[in-house]
């Protein structure tokens, strides 16, 4: 129960939502949660990580590969497709523990007679190019089964076509679909092999092959017998030119794909499933978070973690996680600040190798960030708001269409969300604190940090009257208010960037003096450490008002119309109208799109008193629309941080169930923005672990300040800190820390505001709250 | 012919346009060019200069007084009103020389019989509270004339009502209408007296008086005889609480108004007209500009000057000229930069006393400008974008309604057109240069200048990488591009402000050391002269590109879509849609609302080569929409300045005829913006005199660089320079300067690029072009 997501009926209106909800994937590719008979019209898609294409003047976006698992069955001429025949029974389910998608559908064929189809599939976590499926067919009466199965080359594209020169062919038993992408000329190949259950059954099968522009299908006829169960397996493999760059001698994508499906068939489905399961077991062992006492929250949290696991880059340090994961092409498959700010914490605590990949992606895209800074006349590195393979910004200047005029609307996501460079630096430094792995500084990390600091130095202006540096003309997380001055969040992040730039210099000089000297020489003309120091000393970061304790989100925010969210909603004319942009409803009011000051207070929670955090939570919470899926988790954490976990519980559940309910915003203007929400998935984990369990690691000691919601009796989870594994169990009464015996060093833990106590390898530490401290 | 504007028919569609075109006024009040039978529905209005009122939460705007000249006549029950009866003949005319409005209308009453009505009226230039009218009625058959005449208390308001507690009464023969304004409780009184032509005629008149809420009417019956002409005169006087503040002993507005109409009746119409005419003769003698060879241009230019003369504050230094003159309440009766930049030059050259009043108005409103600066967190004085009596900004944050949604649209006129403070300083300094009258510095002018400089010092930011001060986040004259950085016009104006601030210090210290010391002490903590000097040395003002010579209007202007004006017009969806604001059509393109860089090049024309000026004229001219009436004159002048007067001639004519044709923009969004265009009127004069005649006075010498358009053989006009009067005649072949004999000093003149030659009192100077210089 706690590991399965399912539904017991087919509802056409849920096709798109279920495509997201029942996603499978392995970081190399995402396979939308479609049924096997679905095609592009139902948004079937095999979305490839890190493969982008630009068609004409349209938005650049990820490439979807042909679907090698496409299958549609008919019995006695009746299409056994939920799209054409209403089933007698239908279940669709996802086994989160092993990442297996299943469907079972019962169709009536003639009076009282039935055909039952089952299909299960997985994107192998062991062989990342491989998809595998197992089918069964059972009929209560003899019937003629006609099946079409193979590779569906008609791919769903938002801004395609991306696959040009599509060709189909066969190689022995295998089918093959090849194409090249239009912009980069990258070959993409999908091979498929279908294997029948028994030699006897195979004999009864008659196949005709149909090849057409990337689509390669077998038409198979089976004279099925009543009571008999027919079984077949499908193997599909996807390769692109990116996979073959390193070892061209091993053949092109087409050869490899064919080889892969043949090898899979040789191994057999059971064997493939076994290795896949083992990989998943291992991943869950590092990341499962148990909530005692709240089954609903437990499933939602596991589901959130599942979503992160199926899209995380396990192998490549050249891809990161797009804002909609691998659920399609929405948001151009681009990587946003979501990764560093909302997903990275999960990986830092559970799988630092993936965290390193995510940060290495930023190092590899530094040149793109340099190009963007130069384009705007700044120094250093201005990271892309929407980053793809090269790090150049995929974000357009016109990101939303005005629903009233149909015209593209100028927005400032690309130009003004400068905090992205600080977010990257923050992520990098968090990686270093969590892992102790300074090598990333020498591997390009220091350059990233300094280039971002140089960018901010060139972006800042000095106010001669107020004698301070200010960060002007930015858009903070609250994107409804563009081009504001002295946004508290952005300025605090810039301040952190400058501090990190100075600390990174010390570390690098200490550990990698040669690398340091080389870089320092390159920056000799400045701005470099001297300028960073000067700017840090005089940088203006908005502070709490002495009377109200509220931090003004940006200059003159408090002068905006103080309207209630309910009142603002009554002013809406068009359901999809964008509340931001030039004339957006919210822009002239105090209504925020998402957590902004409250996010800042979460990030720098040790720098502010509980009273300040509470005052700001109470001030901004009713003013927040949560128009972004990144917002709710922050309010959940913020409430936990001020000791009021139940205030934030609805926000936690909203975050954790976003892809289960599918009730997120689907349109901005006339732009479809649906898909999965990895940042919210990460945010759910953050709320549970950093918020409710109250875990905080500063690179030296871990502090635990639990604030569990009413229904939760405990949270239990594994964490890795500086390479050492621990199992934590956090309840209101006690915190138990169990150190793995093979840890290399002790890490200190402090619980309930107490002193930090070292927990050496193999030890079990029990921390209790000071008895007089409760209710404080 | 050259002095009369007229039309020979009545067209209902021209009522509003003619209300502007046939305006009369005397600086105290404007009387729209309505016919006598018109009421508020036809936008009849007596608009009072400097009297403002705010009704509820509506926009603050000028107060219209009841119309004391209202009259409607009927014959045998047939209404002799163009609104109800189609006249046989109708003429409406304006005598520009004496500012007399006339109408003559012939109505048919029964078969072949006619009544001819004539009415002439003027707003006395001698007695500024007084309106006077003369009527005649002639009938070709006996008929019963019923006439209603008196005071129409139903005033036209855009955002009224402003007149509360309206009461009517009579005082002997006089009628009286009184009210108080809602916001300030200012009393407003209108008295009226009607006098019949002869004792005999008067006897035949039977009158009944009707009094109702500010309306006071006489119903008069005359048994008119065929062939006889009936004549009557009407006198109306307007007084408000502002007029009685200084001498309360002389009675309240009501008493004074009654006294005034009685005195007027005692003087009689002929006598009043005579003094009015003499005043107008005197004013024209100081301002008429003769164009030889172009009658159309001549009439248009005279008409433009006429418009300036009827609205200029002859007496009060507490009012300036609103952007729509005294033609009603459009633009809130507010004073914009229009005054300093487009009207002041005319007065500086022709009537420096009025120029002083205009600048003293800015001195009197300094506190309002200080309040605005403080409101935004700046030092010094940030003048109102829309200034009324107190200098507080009447400009709202939502100045235009979005035609697509009906919602108010956030615009940044109020917040970001900081150049207004520089425009005020520029005007003040021009006044000092033209008049030599330093006393205005001691009378508050120096404080204005320094407070504006202090404002800019606090508005500016220092760019530590580029090592320069920048003026960020401003809107220049091109209001389609709001919130831009380093707008060339604004930055150049700020630079001039700083220079003037330093020069003003020297002058004041020299001439009024005590005043200087007092002020300098108040500014001892700075920012003051030291800071101004430092900022001036490092202020960034965009300069011509070395290759193209084009000055980029603001940072990244050249990155905007380079679309043609024609193409942009094809994108218009709604005829009244605003091209600026949040999502305006022009905002993301290079299309400008009005001259911006080209205006800067006009103001600082000696600092740039002809090549630079030409390159920018040629670059920006096709990109300018001229959505503001302030634009065309600048392109006319710019073309003259580069020796291509005919390029700009259509712009000159467009400017000079704007209120004759009535073909200006009437709506922005759903906001009515019609009315007269004093800035264009002033711009027509500027184009003729500063552009074509090429006159330029720097406070020491006058230079004349004529560039006459094809049809013009010469321009002749009087000017006053440093208090000395000259008559200039400028042709292509020769410039003749005639100094008045009673001038106090010589002023030097240079013609055709030659040396400056002094022209002593009584002298005639003839300047010829160097023969080899033509065609250069």
């Amino acid at each position: 129960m706690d590991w399965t997501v399912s539904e017991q009926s087919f509802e056409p209106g849920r096709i798109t939502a279920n495509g997201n909800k029942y996603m499978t994937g392995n970081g190399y590719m995402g396979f939308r949660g479609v049924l096997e008979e679905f095609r592009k019209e139902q948004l079937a898609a095999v979305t490839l990580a890190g493969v982008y294409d630009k068609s004409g003047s349209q938005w650049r976006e990820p490439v979807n590969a042909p679907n090698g698992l496409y299958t549609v069955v008919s019995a006695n001429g009746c299409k056994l497709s939920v799209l054409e025949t209403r089933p007698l029974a239908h279940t669709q389910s996802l086994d989160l523990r092993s990442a297996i998608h299943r469907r079972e559908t019962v169709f009536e064929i003639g009076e009282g007679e039935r055909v039952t189809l089952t299909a299960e599939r997985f994107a192998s976590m062991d062989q990342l190019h491989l998809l595998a499926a197992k089918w069964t067919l059972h009929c209560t009466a003899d019937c003629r089964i006609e099946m079409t199965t193979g590779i569906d080359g008609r791919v769903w594209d938002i801004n395609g076509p991306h696959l040009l020169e599509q060709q189909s062919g066969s190689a022995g038993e295998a089918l093959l679909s090849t194409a090249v992408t239009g912009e980069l000329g990258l070959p993409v190949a999908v091979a498929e092999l279908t294997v029948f259950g028994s030699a006897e059954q195979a004999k009864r099968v008659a196949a005709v092959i149909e090849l057409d522009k990337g689509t390669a299908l077998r038409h198979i006829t089976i004279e099925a017998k009543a009571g008999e169960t027919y079984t077949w397996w499908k193997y599909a493999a996807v390769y692109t030119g990116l996979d073959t760059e390193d070892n061209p001698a091993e053949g092109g994508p087409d050869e490899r794909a064919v080889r892969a499906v043949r090898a899979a068939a040789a191994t057999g489905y059971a064997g493939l499933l076994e290795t896949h399961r083992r990989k998943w077991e291992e991943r869950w062992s590092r990341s499962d978070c148990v909530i005692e006492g709240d089954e609903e929250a437990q499933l939602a949290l596991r589901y959130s973690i599942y979503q992160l696991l199926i899209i995380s880059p396990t192998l490549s340090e050249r891809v990161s996680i797009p804002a909609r994961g691998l659920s399609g092409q929405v948001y151009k498959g681009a990587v946003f600040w979501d990764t560093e700010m909302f997903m990275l914490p999960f990986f830092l605590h559970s799988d630092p190798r993936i965290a390193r990949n995510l940060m290495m992606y930023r190092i590899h895209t530094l040149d793109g960030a340099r190009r963007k800074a130069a384009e705007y006349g700044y120094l250093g590195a201005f990271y892309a708001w929407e980053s793809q393979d090269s790090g150049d910004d995929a974000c357009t200047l016109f990101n939303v269409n005005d629903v009233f005029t149909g015209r593209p609307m100028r927005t400032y996501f690309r130009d003004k969300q400068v905090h992205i460079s600080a977010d990257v630096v923050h992520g990098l430094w968090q990686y270093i604190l969590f892992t102790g792995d300074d090598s990333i500084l020498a591997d390009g990390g220091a350059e990233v940090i300094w280039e971002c600091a140089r960018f901010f130095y060139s972006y800042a202006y000095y106010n001669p009257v107020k004698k301070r540096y200010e960060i002007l003309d930015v858009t903070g997380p609250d994107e409804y208010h563009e081009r504001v001055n002295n946004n508290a969040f952005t300025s605090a992040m810039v301040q952190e960037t400058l501090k990190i730039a100075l600390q990174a210099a010390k570390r690098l000089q200490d550990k990698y003096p040669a690398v340091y000297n080389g870089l320092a020489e390159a920056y000799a003309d400045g701005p470099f450490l001297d300028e960073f120091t000067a700017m840090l000393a005089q940088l203006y970061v908005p502070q709490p008002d002495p009377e109200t304790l509220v931090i003004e989100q940006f200059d003159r925010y408090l002068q905006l119309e103080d309207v209630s969210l309910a009142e603002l909603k009554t002013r809406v004319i068009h359901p999809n109208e964008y509340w931001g942009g030039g004339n957006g409803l919210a822009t002239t009011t105090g209504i925020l799109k998402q957590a902004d000051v409250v996010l800042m207070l979460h990030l720098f929670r040790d720098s502010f008193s509980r009273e300040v955090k509470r005052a700001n939570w109470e001030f901004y919470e009713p003013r927040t629309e949560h128009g972004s899926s990144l917002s709710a988790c922050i309010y959940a954490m913020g409430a936990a941080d001020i000791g009021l976990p139940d205030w934030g519980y609805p926000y936690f559940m909203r975050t954790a169930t976003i892809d289960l309910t599918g009730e997120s915003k689907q349109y901005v203007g006339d732009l479809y923005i649906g898909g999965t929400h990895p940042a919210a998935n990460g945010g759910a984990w953050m709320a549970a672990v950093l918020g409710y369990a109250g875990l905080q690691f500063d690179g030296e000691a871990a502090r635990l300040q639990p604030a569990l919601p009413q229904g939760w009796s405990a949270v239990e989870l594994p964490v890795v800190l500086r390479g050492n594994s621990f199992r934590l169990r956090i309840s209101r009464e006690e915190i138990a820390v169990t150190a793995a015996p093979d840890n290399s060093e002790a890490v200190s833990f402090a619980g309930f505001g107490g002193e930090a106590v070292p927990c050496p390898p193999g030890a079990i530490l029990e921390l209790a709250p000071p008895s007089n401290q409760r209710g404080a």
Side-chain angles (χ1 to χ4, degrees), chain A:
Chain A
M1 167 63 187
D2 280 352
W3 289 95
T4 306
V5 170
S6 67
E7 53 206 76
Q8 313 301 324
S9 65
F10 171 71
E11 290 173 36
R14 293 272 309 162
I15 289 177
T16 301
N18 284 349
N20 301 316
K21 180 173 176 177
Y22 292 97
M23 276 269 304
T24 49
N26 58 17
Y28 175 82
M29 60 186 150
F31 195 96
R32 282 179 62 80
V34 292
L35 299 180
E36 286 68 12
E37 58 268 43
F38 288 0
R39 307 195 70 175
K40 62 185 282 190
E41 290 74 14
Q42 290 76 40
L43 314 191
V46 181
T47 302
L48 302 180
V51 183
Y52 295 92
D53 184 66
K54 182 174 171 66
S55 173
S57 64
Q58 299 177 95
W59 287 351
R60 204 161 182 273
E61 63 184 12
V63 170
N64 286 336
N67 173 10
L69 296 187
Y70 171 67
T71 303
V72 64
V73 178
S74 66
N76 295 341
C78 169
K79 275 255 172 111
L80 305 184
S81 159
V82 294
L83 299 172
E84 304 199 22
T85 306
R86 196 186 161 86
L88 290 178
H90 174 78
T91 63
Q92 181 173 11
S93 69
L94 192 57
D95 170 356
L96 302 178
R97 193 190 286 268
S98 303
I100 300 171
H101 179 274
R102 294 192 177 89
R103 64 90 61 91
E104 175 170 325
T105 313
V106 184
F107 293 97
E108 191 171 44
I109 51 160
E111 206 60 36
E113 302 296 347
R114 297 173 173 197
V115 176
T116 302
L117 289 174
T118 73
E120 68 172 40
R121 67 172 183 249
F122 60 91
S124 174
M125 193 53 95
D126 181 54
Q127 298 186 38
L128 301 182
H129 299 273
L130 195 69
L131 297 162
K134 174 185 178 185
W135 278 84
T136 70
L137 181 152
H138 178 90
C139 45
T140 59
D142 289 2
C143 59
R144 182 187 181 85
I145 298 294
E146 289 169 311
M147 186 198 332
T148 299
T149 190
I151 306 170
D152 182 3
R154 288 177 56 242
V155 300
W156 169 44
D157 277 332
I158 294 181
N159 293 296
H162 301 298
L163 297 180
L164 308 186
E165 303 171 31
Q166 280 195 288
Q167 297 192 357
S168 342
S170 57
E173 294 290 297
L175 298 178
L176 184 64
S177 168
T178 61
V180 291
T181 61
E183 182 193 11
L184 303 176
L186 210 64
V188 174
V190 177
E192 185 262 10
L193 201 56
T194 295
V195 177
F196 272 79
S198 65
E200 196 205 351
Q201 282 181 3
K203 272 185 209 155
R204 291 197 224 149
V205 168
V208 176
I209 288 175
E210 175 196 341
L211 302 174
D212 180 40
K213 291 179 197 151
T215 294
L217 300 173
R218 280 182 216 82
H219 299 286
I220 296 172
T221 306
I222 307 173
E223 300 297 341
K225 298 287 175 208
E228 198 165 330
T229 297
Y230 297 83
T231 305
W232 64 95
W233 298 274
K234 280 175 65 77
Y235 307 103
V238 185
Y239 279 84
T240 76
L242 291 184
D243 307 316
T244 58
E245 276 170 3
D246 296 341
N247 295 299
E250 291 180 19
D254 49 348
E255 295 167 75
R256 297 200 202 197
V258 170
R259 218 154 54 217
V261 292
R262 284 183 182 151
T267 305
Y269 185 82
L272 294 170
L273 183 58
E274 180 54 26
T275 52
H276 170 74
R277 272 191 207 276
R278 273 208 303 274
K279 286 279 179 184
W280 270 95
E281 251 168 52
E282 193 252 328
R283 298 203 67 182
W284 279 114
S285 76
R286 277 188 273 126
S287 54
D288 184 35
C289 179
V290 175
I291 298 172
E292 295 176 16
D294 188 339
E295 286 197 5
E296 204 182 332
Q298 173 69 80
L299 181 64
L301 179 59
R302 278 206 175 118
Y303 179 78
S304 299
I305 295 171
Y306 167 85
Q307 282 287 356
L308 292 169
L309 294 177
I310 63 175
I311 55 175
S312 47
T314 40
L315 285 182
S316 174
E317 60 174 44
R318 291 185 174 268
V319 299
S320 181
I321 306 178
R324 287 291 180 262
L326 299 173
S327 66
Q329 295 156 319
V330 162
Y331 285 161
K332 304 159 196 151
V335 178
F336 292 67
W337 70 314
D338 302 38
T339 311
E340 280 75 14
M341 306 304 280
F342 295 86
M343 304 175 213
L344 185 67
F346 166 75
F347 294 108
L348 285 176
H349 287 80
S350 65
D351 201 342
R353 295 165 310 166
I354 291 177
R356 194 179 210 275
N357 284 346
L358 296 175
M359 294 323 306
M360 286 306 294
Y361 165 78
R362 295 299 193 180
I363 293 173
H364 288 300
T365 50
L366 174 61
D367 277 348
R370 282 185 172 125
R371 284 190 290 273
K372 182 175 169 189
E375 177 197 335
Y376 285 106
Y378 300 112
L379 304 176
F382 181 5
Y383 271 87
W385 184 243
E386 301 184 6
S387 185
Q388 297 175 331
D389 43 352
S390 68
D392 291 287
D393 207 326
C395 188
T396 60
L397 302 185
F398 297 82
N399 233 11
V400 179
N401 274 351
D402 182 357
V403 293
F404 298 109
T405 59
R407 293 174 183 151
M409 191 189 292
R410 180 69 161 95
T411 49
Y412 291 87
F413 302 107
R414 185 188 201 274
D415 321 54
K416 298 299 175 188
Q417 280 193 282
V418 296
H419 66 78
I420 179 65
S421 282
D423 304 335
V424 168
V425 170
H426 172 81
L428 249 170
W429 200 247
Q430 285 289 302
Y431 171 77
I432 291 166
L433 291 181
F434 268 79
T435 60
D437 171 19
D438 293 319
S439 73
I440 201 167
L441 286 176
D443 288 351
E447 226 172 326
V448 165
I449 291 167
W450 293 334
E451 287 292 58
C452 289
R454 284 162 55 84
F455 166 67
F456 287 122
Y457 184 78
S458 73
Y459 196 87
Y461 278 94
Y462 189 74
N463 183 320
V465 171
K466 296 177 178 162
K467 305 208 186 312
R468 66 193 194 187
Y469 287 88
E470 299 184 18
I471 307 296
L472 305 174
D473 201 4
V474 301
T475 304
D478 166 21
E479 293 160 328
Y480 289 163
H481 295 96
E482 296 185 317
R483 305 194 57 196
V484 302
N485 294 333
N486 297 310
N487 168 248
F489 170 86
T490 304
S491 298
M493 292 299 291
V494 171
Q495 188 178 46
E496 193 198 14
T497 298
L498 295 170
K499 286 180 186 169
I500 290 172
L502 299 174
Q503 289 172 34
K506 279 194 202 112
R507 287 221 189 189
L508 196 68
Q509 202 165 12
D510 198 28
K511 300 272 190 72
Y512 301 90
V515 179
Y516 174 81
N517 291 333
L519 288 169
E521 199 180 311
Y523 292 129
D525 292 341
F528 194 46
L529 307 180
D530 288 349
E531 286 80 3
F532 302 160
T533 305
M535 180 170 163
L536 187 58
Q538 287 191 281
L539 178 64
Y540 171 58
V541 179
Q543 295 300 317
D545 178 88
E547 301 228 332
T548 64
L549 304 185
V550 169
I551 298 172
E552 192 170 23
Q553 190 177 301
F554 50 81
D555 287 355
R556 300 186 69 74
Y557 165 82
L558 292 172
Q559 311 297 317
L560 297 173
E561 188 194 2
D562 192 15
V563 66
S564 76
L565 186 55
E567 159 70 17
L568 196 64
K569 283 180 177 166
T570 67
R571 300 183 192 167
V572 168
I573 298 175
H574 187 293
N576 296 336
E577 67 175 274
Y578 182 53
W579 285 22
N583 294 333
L585 262 190
T587 58
T588 59
T589 75
I591 297 298
L592 342 178
K593 184 178 180 193
Q594 67 198 85
D596 195 305
V597 168
V598 172
L599 171 57
M600 189 271 271
L601 292 173
H602 157 70
L603 290 170
F604 305 105
R605 53 195 177 283
D606 294 338
S607 307
F608 296 93
S609 71
R610 178 174 284 208
E611 289 68 35
V612 164
K613 288 184 275 192
R614 178 166 176 160
N616 283 277
W617 199 99
E618 292 191 68
F619 181 85
Y620 285 109
E621 189 268 344
R623 291 172 172 82
T624 306
E625 186 231 352
H626 307 292
S628 161
S629 61
L630 314 184
S631 187
C633 62
I634 302 300
Y635 279 96
M637 278 194 287
D641 188 32
I642 55 175
L644 295 162
D646 295 314
W647 282 17
Y649 185 74
Y651 286 121
F652 165 75
M653 284 305 290
R654 183 164 159 179
T655 300
T657 61
I658 184 166
D659 291 325
L660 287 170
T661 62
E663 281 165 5
S664 63
K665 203 182 269 194
Q666 298 293 302
Y667 283 91
V668 167
D670 57 0
L671 177 69
Y672 176 65
I673 59 163
T676 58
H677 298 79
N681 306 146
W685 181 92
M686 288 162 74
V689 177
L690 311 185
Y692 296 141
L695 172 61
Q696 199 175 346
F697 182 61
D698 63 5
E700 301 293 330
R703 279 176 296 143
L704 287 150
Q705 186 68 45
L708 301 182
Q710 237 174 358
W712 298 21
S713 51
V715 170
E716 194 180 331
L717 79 157
V719 295
V720 185
L721 303 174
R722 300 181 61 89
N724 302 286
S725 298
F726 301 90
R727 187 148 193 94
L728 310 178
R729 186 176 180 284
I730 300 110
S731 71
R732 285 180 186 75
E733 299 75 30
E734 192 188 60
I735 295 165
V737 181
T738 308
D742 55 348
N743 282 352
S744 62
E745 58 175 345
V747 169
S748 293
F749 288 79
F752 304 106
E755 291 289 299
V757 182
C759 184
I764 296 177
L765 199 65
E766 289 179 353
L767 306 165
S771 53
N772 61 348
Q773 212 181 355
R774 308 304 305 275

